[in-house]
Amino acid sequence: MTISRDGQRRIYIDHAATTPPDPLVIEAMLPYLTQYWQNPSSIYVEAQATRQAIDQSRNKIADLIGAQPSEIIFTSGGTESNTLALRGVIAASQLSDKHIVSSATEHHAILDTLEQIELENLANISIIEVDKLGQVNPGEVKKAITNDTVLVTIMHANNEVGTINDIAQIAHEIREVNPNTLFHTDAVQSMAHLGANTKELDVDLLTFTGHKMYGPRGAGCLYVRNGTPLQAQIVGGGQEERRRAGTEDTAAIVGLAKALELTIDRRESDIAHEQKLQNLLLSKLPMYIPFSGATGPLNNSERLPGHASFVIGFVEGESILVALDLAGFAASSGSACTTGSIEPSHVLLGMGIPEDLARGSLRFSFGRNNSEEDVNDLLEILPVIVQKLRSLSPLNNSSLPHGWEEWLGN
Ligand SMILES: Cc1ncc(COP(=O)(O)O)c(C=O)c1O
């Protein structure tokens, strides 16, 4: 809980959208904003200090994700890393017919890029459906692969419903059917909670970003296994071994490495704390609000820690969020990137949730600074908000619409 400038109590439960920068991350970054701000490509002594900081950050990150320093490309974040992975691999491929396999519930940074790639006739795309919990079946990935499949891209964990995919098993299926197919995973949501050992996951490319793990925004990374053909998508300078041009943001890179180090150090206690809050909300909310249900897996091993998502019938998720905001709670209806859009979430629709029910979606994502009191306060206020909105709504809630029942309760 924090207090706003006008004295209002604020409870932030939207850590899947972004996280507050850790004070230790800011402390690590500051010297590279105030003293060592010089261009790392320059020759003088201060610039050498910035170059050294970038090298050290690269070594640290490589070490923490089971990689070599040469396999780390610094970018501006998850969106850019995903774009570089997809477009860079397709541009470097020598095959005449190119094919990519992905899933229906990927982040728009993946899905929209794939759509563009197809429109530009660069590759054909196959999209795999997910199950009711939002999980990708590794066997379905295997079935979709052909001789032309250059790349498979499947997210590690979903940003809206927290579902974790079995990346190592998917890699195993891919390797069995076509050893030339490359495998990329978007680990933006999972990195803070699950970490990533690129060798254990057996991926060729992996995306993560600083701002989902108490690090800075505008700092991201693409891991690219040595030997993977990749064509730069931003050119003009020799930075990042000619794979991503542009003067490096030393402070952001230092912050990214520090954030990763700290999340790994604190992972065990963070997970225990976040799962306690998440489980409390997942179990209680559907009991407190009629016609509501949890979305995604309820099992802790299949769901991101701290993540709790729901559908609430006969009410718009956006209206609930506005009322929650007025009451001091910052939450989300799904991904922050689609907030403001009137379309129901493609993730919920992909899981088979009826469109009218999917409009009432809510996502709460807890972090280090949340407490049990936050959950209890939310459980007190939310049923009142929902009841009030329903009483004002023209929607008829006297009978359950077709296809809703299996999504309600927990
Ligand atoms: C799964 C996933 N991929 C990619 C992104 C985009 O990352 P960034 O905001 O760093 O560009 C997000 C952000 O919400 C995300 O949740």
Side-chain angles (χ1 to χ4, degrees):
M1 184 186 83
T2 55
I3 302 295
S4 71
R5 261 179 288 173
D6 54 6
Q8 195 197 20
R9 183 190 66 148
R10 300 291 303 170
I11 297 176
Y12 185 78
I13 325 180
D14 201 15
H15 293 78
T18 197
T19 46
D22 189 306
L24 292 176
V25 169
I26 297 173
E27 193 182 300
M29 291 170 69
L30 265 181
Y32 300 96
L33 293 167
T34 55
Q35 199 178 353
Y36 297 110
W37 41 262
Q38 294 78 4
N39 190 323
S41 299
S42 300
I43 210 113
Y44 29 83
V45 67
E46 298 88 344
Q48 293 310 306
T50 70
R51 165 65 50 212
Q52 213 179 7
I54 292 174
D55 289 346
Q56 281 168 357
S57 302
R58 195 185 306 281
N59 293 343
K60 187 187 282 181
I61 289 175
D63 196 39
L64 293 170
I65 66 168
Q68 299 295 318
S70 56
E71 295 175 318
I72 302 298
I73 303 180
F74 290 121
T75 68
S76 66
T79 303
E80 189 192 327
S81 294
N82 283 341
T83 306
L84 176 57
L86 269 47
R87 286 191 172 273
V89 162
I90 287 300
S93 164
Q94 301 297 319
L95 288 186
S96 50
D97 289 320
K98 297 168 195 170
H99 176 233
I100 306 179
V101 175
S102 190
S103 84
T105 52
E106 299 293 310
H107 190 270
H108 278 295
I110 294 285
L111 289 178
D112 293 2
T113 306
L114 290 177
E115 201 179 301
Q116 283 185 357
I117 285 176
E118 196 161 46
L119 280 174
E120 292 165 29
N121 288 322
L122 298 175
N124 295 314
I125 314 293
S126 296
I127 300 290
I128 293 172
E129 299 304 323
V130 296
D131 67 13
K132 287 173 56 167
L133 301 177
Q135 233 149 19
V136 174
N137 178 341
E140 294 298 316
V141 177
K142 187 175 184 174
K143 276 197 245 163
I145 293 175
T146 69
N147 287 342
D148 297 331
T149 308
V150 178
L151 180 70
V152 172
T153 178
I154 303 286
M155 69 200 323
H156 196 184
N158 186 270
N159 44 305
E160 294 189 35
V161 289
T163 307
I164 298 170
N165 281 317
D166 190 344
I167 294 300
Q169 185 58 34
I170 294 172
H172 176 77
E173 303 290 352
I174 296 170
R175 308 298 177 212
E176 234 180 45
V177 68
N178 186 347
N180 297 321
T181 299
L182 297 171
F183 184 27
H184 166 252
T185 191
D186 174 347
V188 161
Q189 289 291 336
S190 57
M191 194 52 130
H193 307 285
L194 312 175
N197 182 307
T198 54
K199 297 288 168 298
E200 282 168 18
L201 293 178
D202 192 17
V203 288
D204 301 294
L205 304 108
L206 178 141
T207 289
F208 67 96
T209 193
H211 73 103
K212 310 282 188 188
M213 50 183 192
Y214 303 90
R217 244 152 290 156
C221 177
L222 180 67
Y223 157 82
V224 185
R225 194 201 291 260
N226 277 339
T228 304
L230 186 87
Q231 186 171 307
Q233 297 301 300
I234 300 179
V235 293
Q239 292 91 353
E240 300 301 298
E241 305 289 338
R242 301 211 153 269
R243 293 170 298 182
R244 196 272 191 179
T247 304
E248 302 92 333
D249 184 341
T250 311
I253 290 169
V254 168
L256 179 70
K258 186 71 185 175
L260 184 59
E261 184 184 24
L262 289 171
T263 45
I264 289 175
D265 283 353
R266 295 172 180 177
R267 186 165 295 150
E268 232 172 271
S269 62
D270 278 353
I271 289 180
H273 175 66
E274 289 164 8
Q275 280 179 340
K276 193 172 79 186
L277 305 185
Q278 159 195 38
N279 290 339
L280 187 62
L281 190 61
L282 283 169
S283 61
K284 292 251 168 95
L285 188 143
M287 293 196 302
Y288 285 31
I289 301 179
F291 307 117
S292 71
T295 51
L298 290 175
N299 182 339
N300 279 344
S301 65
E302 292 176 318
R303 181 177 198 117
L304 281 179
H307 203 290
S309 53
F310 303 90
V311 280
I312 316 270
F314 307 111
V315 63
E316 296 273 337
E318 300 290 324
S319 316
I320 302 178
L321 291 178
V322 172
L324 276 176
D325 187 26
L326 287 172
F329 293 86
S332 158
S333 62
S335 90
C337 316
T338 51
T339 298
S341 118
I342 48 162
E343 296 299 313
S345 141
H346 70 284
V347 173
L348 300 184
L349 298 183
M351 290 159 61
I353 296 180
E355 194 173 323
D356 44 1
L357 183 57
R359 288 186 189 281
S361 67
L362 289 179
R363 176 187 73 183
F364 302 99
S365 40
F366 296 102
R368 277 176 205 155
N369 300 329
N370 289 118
S371 65
E372 216 167 306
E373 198 189 342
D374 295 345
V375 185
N376 290 330
D377 287 354
L378 179 67
L379 283 168
E380 206 177 300
I381 194 96
L382 195 54
V384 180
I385 288 174
V386 171
Q387 195 187 21
K388 190 163 169 205
L389 287 171
R390 280 180 182 158
S391 72
L392 300 171
S393 163
L395 296 174
N396 173 4
N397 61 12
S398 56
S399 65
L400 210 56
H402 177 71
W404 277 30
E405 199 171 347
E406 64 172 310
W407 302 100
L408 302 181
N410 55 10

